[in-house]
Amino acid sequence: MARRIIPILKHLTSRPAIRGPGPESGSRSITYMPRPGDGAPRAVTLIPGDGIGPLVTNAVEQVMEAMHAPVFFERYEVYGDMKRVPQEVLDSIRKNKVCLKGGLRTPVGGGVSSLNVQLRKELDLYASLVNCFNLPGLPTRHEGVDIVVVRENTEGEYSGLEHEVVPGVVESLKVMTKFCSERIAKYAFEYAYLNNRKKVTAVHKANIMKLADGLFLESCREVATKYPGIKYNEIIVDNCCMQLVSKPEQFDVMVTPNLYGNLVANTAAGIAGGTGVMPGGNVGAEHAVFEQGASAGNVGNENQVVQRRANPVALLLSSAMMLRHLQFPSFADRLETSVKRVIFDGKFRTKDLGGDSTTQEVVDAVIANLG
């Protein structure tokens, strides 16, 4: 029997390998099989916003047009000093399910509520996701950084429940619920599972806020038991900040309550290359809003607007996230690859990345590198 099998095995192993079509072995493979109609152009609500917002959203529009991406924009003018998000804007996002947004300036004090927070609450965008990672060719103090910060977006210190008890005494309520804590934990673990991430870290201050942050940790622990293949650990927020600036490579996916997530995401972005290059988005069960990942500097300053030297990279990478969300992965890959090529080459960089290029020069370079 063995004598008969050996010649057959030799014959099979000596046959040339079957190759796909094309002149070389690295030919393109099928990424996924679309359903009929999946390539139809999708409407996206566009909010240019304040400050540098119109500059960087225009950069995205130019690149999308150059790629012939299957999206078109419905533009609405919204500014941070408005009292409320206009109803027609909310209706547009509810209809389209997806929005791309520039920064909205939030007034400090004065009793004017943040339109960013309004959007999240109106559309129940309960999960904020910011991806902070090293870009090849961009020097940073730490290497090997690839952190995803998943932040609860609808409650905690951002609940907006404040009042003056008596003159000179203000009470601000931090609201934490089992429902919201559990669903943000589920989102973080599901993200880690679907993206082959190995660890989820819960950030908290339960040593002091034993009931509120204790509830958050309890929810994370319960969800963690359902994902035995993903390592789970916990870290107090102040130690987390120290560890981020000393050994950021130890973190993978981080899940946080509302306020801590804002601080952690901006710190991680600064470590990985700056807020001008970090993408992000806010998602819920029905809708998604994509914007610059880290809020620090998302409206820029007057000089950037006048000189037209705002960094469009963060919003370009956020729009690549949006394209994946819309199930246009090949367009997302082309855009992301082109942006990374421009960063790696180093010829066209804005001031925050050590260069002197204008927004338009960076956009032109990205378009020129599209595959």
Side-chain angles (χ1 to χ4, degrees):
M1 184 72 176
R3 289 178 181 176
R4 292 178 61 191
I5 291 174
I6 290 172
I8 295 173
L9 290 175
K10 286 182 178 180
H11 173 69
L12 290 173
T13 55
S14 65
R15 292 170 64 184
I18 298 174
R19 299 183 184 275
E24 52 190 29
S25 59
S27 59
R28 181 178 299 171
S29 61
I30 297 173
T31 54
Y32 78 107
M33 180 176 253
R35 296 164 298 182
D38 275 0
R42 292 286 303 273
V44 174
T45 305
L46 178 66
I47 301 175
D50 294 309
I52 64 172
L55 265 178
V56 294
T57 53
N58 178 255
V60 173
E61 289 182 283
Q62 290 184 59
V63 174
M64 291 290 181
E65 185 178 354
M67 286 198 302
H68 303 290
V71 297
F72 61 94
F73 294 104
E74 295 179 0
R75 176 190 294 266
Y76 290 89
E77 300 301 327
V78 181
Y79 304 103
D81 57 1
M82 291 179 171
K83 290 185 178 180
R84 293 199 59 79
V85 179
Q87 187 59 45
E88 61 267 23
V89 178
L90 294 173
D91 291 342
S92 174
I93 299 174
R94 288 191 175 107
K95 172 176 66 75
N96 298 330
K97 308 294 186 185
V98 178
C99 174
L100 183 71
K101 184 175 82 67
L104 290 174
R105 185 177 284 110
T106 300
V108 178
V112 179
S113 62
S114 166
L115 294 194
N116 296 302
V117 174
Q118 280 186 34
L119 266 177
R120 295 167 196 159
K121 289 186 175 181
E122 286 281 351
L123 302 170
D124 196 25
L125 304 171
Y126 68 87
S128 165
L129 189 147
V130 182
N131 190 191
C132 304
F133 57 94
N134 293 125
L135 283 164
L138 186 63
T140 58
R141 183 166 295 182
H142 297 279
E143 296 298 324
V145 178
D146 187 6
I147 300 169
V148 174
V149 181
V150 177
R151 164 193 174 193
E152 205 291 318
N153 237 357
T154 60
E155 57 176 19
E157 295 85 353
Y158 286 57
S159 299
L161 300 174
E162 295 183 313
H163 65 278
E164 189 174 45
V165 182
V166 296
V169 179
V170 173
E171 186 175 57
S172 180
L173 301 180
K174 171 177 177 172
V175 177
M176 301 287 281
T177 65
K178 177 76 170 176
F179 173 77
C180 289
S181 297
E182 202 168 70
R183 71 175 178 174
I184 196 64
K186 285 180 180 176
Y187 185 86
F189 276 92
E190 190 171 73
Y191 176 90
Y193 173 68
L194 294 174
N195 288 277
N196 196 30
R197 296 279 182 158
K198 306 303 181 186
K199 181 171 70 172
V200 173
T201 301
V203 182
H204 67 95
K205 191 64 177 173
N207 57 325
I208 302 299
M209 287 175 255
K210 299 182 184 297
L211 290 178
D213 285 21
L215 178 61
F216 174 76
L217 282 187
E218 178 187 309
S219 301
C220 290
R221 290 167 185 167
E222 288 178 6
V223 174
T225 61
K226 301 174 184 177
Y227 293 85
I230 298 172
K231 184 179 178 182
Y232 170 71
N233 67 345
E234 301 165 356
I235 188 168
I236 296 174
V237 65
D238 37 356
N239 182 32
C240 173
C241 293
M242 187 273 288
Q243 294 291 335
L244 266 175
V245 298
S246 57
K247 296 178 181 178
E249 63 278 357
Q250 69 183 286
F251 296 107
D252 192 352
V253 175
M254 307 175 78
V255 59
T256 78
N258 209 331
L259 177 62
Y260 310 153
N262 194 15
L263 306 177
V264 168
N266 280 275
T267 303
I271 290 164
T275 58
V277 294
M278 299 302 150
N282 303 281
V283 298
E286 298 291 334
H287 312 97
V289 175
F290 295 88
E291 59 186 330
Q292 179 174 313
S295 59
N298 65 349
V299 296
N301 57 54
E302 192 62 31
N303 286 338
Q304 288 177 311
V305 177
V306 172
Q307 298 173 10
R308 306 185 72 79
R309 294 182 184 275
N311 189 348
V313 169
L315 201 64
L316 287 170
L317 292 176
S318 297
S319 64
M321 290 175 62
M322 180 189 76
L323 288 168
R324 288 196 182 93
H325 178 79
L326 292 171
Q327 296 186 10
F328 299 133
S330 63
F331 288 94
D333 290 344
R334 285 176 63 200
L335 174 52
E336 197 170 86
T337 300
S338 178
V339 171
K340 289 180 177 179
R341 281 176 185 160
V342 172
I343 295 294
F344 183 78
D345 290 343
K347 295 177 183 177
F348 298 98
R349 293 181 182 175
T350 48
K351 187 176 181 180
D352 58 313
L353 302 183
D356 195 37
S357 300
T358 64
T359 305
Q360 190 59 51
E361 286 171 340
V362 175
V363 172
D364 292 341
V366 170
I367 291 173
N369 277 278
L370 287 171

